[in-house]
Amino acid sequence: MTDMDDFTLKLTNELRVSPLYNELKSKAKELVCRTSGDVSQLKMNIHEGLAKSGWKRSLQNEVYCRLLERVDAASQNRVHIKEPLAYIRRAQASWEKRILKSLNSMCTEMSVPLARKRPIPEQKEIRSNWNELGVDEPDLSLFRPVYGPKDFLDMLTLLKNPNLASEQLCNFWGLLKLPFPVKSLQQLRQEFCEMTPRWSQVGVDGGSHTDIFDAESVGLGQKVMAADNIALCQQYSRRGIPPSLRMQLWLQNVGLRITDSDRLRYDQLKMHVFKHDLLVDKLIYKDVKLTATNDDQYFVFEDFIHQVLLLFSRDTEVLKHFARSSATPPKSYIRVAPLCFVFEDPVTLYYFFREIYTRHFFRLHTISSHPQGIVSLSVLFESLLQACQPQLFYHLRQMGAQPLRIAFKWLMRAFSGYLASDQLLLLWDRVLAYNSLEPLAVLAVAIFAYRRVNLLETSSYAAVEAVMADTTTIRVIPLLQAILLTAYRTLNRIRQREKSSGILNKS
């Protein structure tokens, strides 16, 4: 049996136990009951019926999603599912031990259990206040955060490849002295070529003076929605998604369909919240109160954020995901808040958050050598900034203001809380479209380049922090295009040379 045969067999077996298989089987039975005539044509009639009713496209989308998962899994070591590099695995174990120790010591000091069953009166109270969770004001002053971006970055700076000679460390200007293979600026320009100024973009070309582009973009987006093709949806999304279509296209992008069984599962998770109280509930509540509640953009979604995270902390489907990852759920609230601008239905909001978290965002607080992990993104950021702005990087390094110390919190939180909501959603459009977190690192470099003049005039770390403190006025797409503009001009020059040399005429 070849590798392809083995892969096909595994994929078939996985699909047989998926909810889609039962739905296809039920639809096929309906078609059989309706079919009359030659039995020999039964198979062909069923195929045609499934295609006309859209089930064939649903199956193709499911296979496409599974293929993407397989490609990602193939890059991982088969023996060590979570992490192939031994020194990274040791760092993972050390970090997880530190988190568990912090939680256990908090329980001991405060005489609070990790989990307990709620008394009946308390169950009734939280049930009645489910849509007003932000009204409750318990005293959480003694509860402390498990970790923050600074703690995590300090842990990453301790990473060292034992196979790297000490004299080779001087070749690294940045904080992370790791020889991780990351893409060059030219490779990123080729990969994100749809974001160059050559193509019109949602979020740049919109406005009263470009109503034609807006109308065309919405019209094309509606055709993409009707086609129900994930690959086509991702290609369309690379130039941004009109706000009126974002919800439907984001769901289509990740292949998410909310079924009756999903809604039933959602209600079951709510019952788990009503019945059991967890220590992490207190940490979630305090995080939301200290951050999202005080944010002018997100305070109105406080109840939704509470609901999503309480359910998320009890979802066993998430635990299955962590069999392949060492990530832990804390500090997820900041990525829920922007989604509230897109999804009104709390059930859809929850399942989309779970999908985007287990697909992308968990990597932003995981110690891993994965190309999309926070370590690789940090190395990519430092590499790109050195390539684009070597003078600026050297200036900041000399005064002890390593750029990564400023940018790390942006990367770890996917810029949530640091950009205006409309700009953040445009950035996440590209993350989903390219199925990549690399646009985060590119944007971080673009922000430093944008504020280069002011940064070169600074003489202390505090001054650098002051210059970079407010990024809410940043326009995401123009800055990304500024990094990609050189490649666009280079391509035009090549085309002009081809024309002038007569290559096109000869062909």
Side-chain angles (χ1 to χ4, degrees):
M1 181 180 290
T2 64
D3 291 340
M4 181 57 67
D5 293 334
D6 183 52
F7 169 74
T8 303
L9 180 62
K10 288 182 179 179
L11 182 59
T12 303
N13 291 334
E14 289 178 1
L15 290 173
R16 284 183 184 278
V17 297
S18 68
L20 179 63
Y21 178 78
N22 292 329
E23 295 174 1
L24 283 170
K25 193 173 180 181
S26 177
K27 184 63 179 179
K29 287 181 179 179
E30 291 181 14
L31 292 172
V32 170
C33 295
R34 296 175 185 173
T35 302
S36 59
D38 191 355
V39 178
S40 61
Q41 302 294 319
L42 183 61
K43 183 176 181 180
M44 184 179 68
N45 291 337
I46 292 175
H47 284 177
E48 291 178 354
L50 290 175
K52 290 179 180 179
S53 57
W55 287 104
K56 180 179 179 181
R57 178 65 68 191
S58 298
L59 179 60
Q60 290 173 338
N61 286 335
E62 184 70 16
V63 171
Y64 180 77
C65 290
R66 304 268 177 166
L67 286 172
L68 291 179
E69 293 177 2
R70 289 290 182 178
V71 170
D72 182 63
S75 65
Q76 302 298 308
N77 187 289
R78 292 185 178 182
V79 178
H80 302 288
I81 299 176
K82 292 186 178 183
E83 172 56 49
L85 298 180
Y87 74 97
I88 297 291
R89 290 200 302 274
R90 288 193 295 269
Q92 286 177 342
S94 176
W95 180 245
E96 290 174 0
K97 183 178 179 180
R98 176 177 170 179
I99 292 175
L100 291 175
K101 182 179 179 180
S102 177
L103 290 172
N104 287 327
S105 63
M106 197 184 308
C107 291
T108 304
E109 293 170 7
M110 304 178 61
S111 300
V112 176
L114 284 170
R116 67 178 180 89
K117 186 173 181 179
R118 299 183 194 272
I120 298 299
E122 189 177 335
Q123 292 183 28
K124 292 180 178 179
E125 181 182 0
I126 191 173
R127 186 193 299 267
S128 62
N129 294 331
W130 179 246
N131 293 319
E132 298 178 345
L133 294 174
V135 175
D136 191 19
E137 292 284 351
D139 182 15
L140 301 177
S141 58
L142 297 179
F143 289 89
R144 59 182 182 272
V146 178
Y147 71 94
K150 182 180 182 301
D151 304 316
F152 194 33
L153 178 58
D154 289 342
M155 181 66 187
L156 298 186
T157 58
L158 300 177
L159 294 175
K160 182 180 178 182
N161 188 336
N163 299 318
L164 196 66
S166 56
E167 57 269 16
Q168 292 178 284
L169 296 178
C170 62
N171 297 327
F172 297 94
W173 281 14
L175 275 178
L176 302 187
K177 306 185 185 305
L178 298 170
F180 278 18
V182 294
K183 294 176 182 176
S184 67
L185 184 58
Q186 190 60 34
Q187 287 173 323
L188 289 171
R189 285 167 173 164
Q190 292 174 357
E191 182 173 347
F192 301 137
C193 61
E194 289 92 345
M195 284 197 286
T196 60
R198 180 186 179 192
W199 305 100
S200 297
Q201 304 283 329
V202 173
V204 176
D205 305 281
S208 58
H209 62 288
T210 53
D211 291 337
I212 295 177
F213 169 74
D214 291 343
E216 289 178 349
S217 182
V218 171
L220 182 58
Q222 291 172 341
K223 292 180 181 179
V224 170
M225 286 168 51
D228 192 24
N229 185 305
I230 293 179
L232 182 62
C233 178
Q234 290 180 342
Q235 183 64 38
Y236 168 81
S237 303
R238 292 184 174 189
R239 293 166 61 186
I241 301 176
S244 61
L245 305 180
R246 183 169 280 126
M247 181 186 74
Q248 297 92 331
L249 289 175
W250 273 16
L251 292 173
Q252 189 178 115
N253 205 311
V254 299
L256 185 61
R257 296 183 303 118
I258 307 300
T259 63
D260 291 339
S261 61
D262 291 328
R263 295 187 179 276
L264 177 62
R265 176 60 178 162
Y266 182 87
D267 291 335
Q268 291 173 342
L269 291 173
K270 283 172 62 176
M271 293 303 299
H272 291 316
V273 175
F274 298 157
K275 290 182 178 180
H276 298 94
D277 179 34
L278 307 181
L279 172 66
V280 72
D281 295 348
K282 311 290 193 306
L283 301 176
I284 289 171
Y285 192 92
K286 185 167 185 175
D287 279 341
V288 174
K289 280 293 182 183
L290 292 177
T291 53
T293 305
N294 296 322
D295 193 305
D296 292 340
Q297 299 183 85
Y298 303 132
F299 75 95
V300 294
F301 303 124
E302 180 182 355
D303 295 327
F304 273 175
I305 298 171
H306 278 299
Q307 292 173 7
V308 168
L309 293 179
L310 289 175
L311 299 175
F312 185 75
S313 64
R314 291 158 172 82
D315 197 336
T316 54
E317 289 297 319
V318 179
L319 293 179
K320 294 178 182 178
H321 168 75
F322 290 127
R324 307 189 310 273
S325 161
S326 296
T328 47
K331 295 292 182 183
S332 299
Y333 68 87
I334 200 67
R335 302 184 191 98
V336 180
L339 301 179
C340 297
F341 283 105
V342 182
F343 301 99
E344 296 181 1
D345 177 28
V347 180
T348 308
L349 169 65
Y350 173 73
Y351 281 107
F352 184 83
F353 168 72
R354 190 182 76 175
E355 183 67 28
I356 196 175
Y357 178 87
T358 54
R359 182 178 294 211
H360 294 295
F361 291 154
F362 81 95
R363 299 194 186 281
L364 299 178
H365 48 85
T366 307
I367 300 178
S368 167
S369 62
H370 193 280
Q372 297 291 317
I374 188 65
V375 182
S376 293
L377 289 180
S378 298
V379 173
L380 175 62
F381 164 76
E382 293 188 321
S383 172
L384 289 179
L385 190 57
Q386 290 177 48
C388 295
Q389 299 289 334
Q391 181 186 4
L392 174 60
F393 195 101
Y394 183 77
H395 171 75
L396 296 175
R397 178 178 179 270
Q398 286 299 99
M399 74 169 72
Q402 283 282 2
L404 184 59
R405 292 203 178 275
I406 301 292
F408 188 77
K409 58 182 179 291
W410 303 340
L411 300 176
M412 186 176 171
R413 293 173 176 170
F415 280 93
S416 181
Y418 298 103
L419 296 174
S421 57
D422 61 327
Q423 297 301 305
L424 181 66
L425 296 178
L426 288 171
L427 176 62
W428 286 8
D429 283 346
R430 274 70 180 183
V431 169
L432 291 171
Y434 288 96
N435 200 33
S436 170
L437 292 169
E438 289 167 342
L440 303 180
V442 177
L443 178 60
V445 172
I447 293 175
F448 271 85
Y450 177 63
R451 296 191 169 167
R452 175 180 181 274
V453 174
N454 292 333
L455 288 172
L456 287 174
E457 295 176 353
T458 59
S459 57
S460 66
Y461 182 75
V464 174
E465 280 191 316
V467 171
M468 306 300 286
D470 183 15
T471 54
T472 56
T473 58
I474 292 293
R475 307 289 294 179
V476 168
I477 305 307
L479 286 190
L480 289 174
Q481 289 182 327
I483 295 294
L484 303 170
L485 183 59
T486 304
Y488 170 67
R489 288 175 173 171
T490 302
L491 182 60
N492 278 343
R493 285 198 296 268
I494 292 174
R495 287 175 175 163
Q496 291 297 328
R497 284 199 298 268
E498 288 178 346
K499 289 181 179 179
S500 61
S501 61
I503 295 177
L504 298 180
N505 295 331
K506 291 178 182 178
S507 59

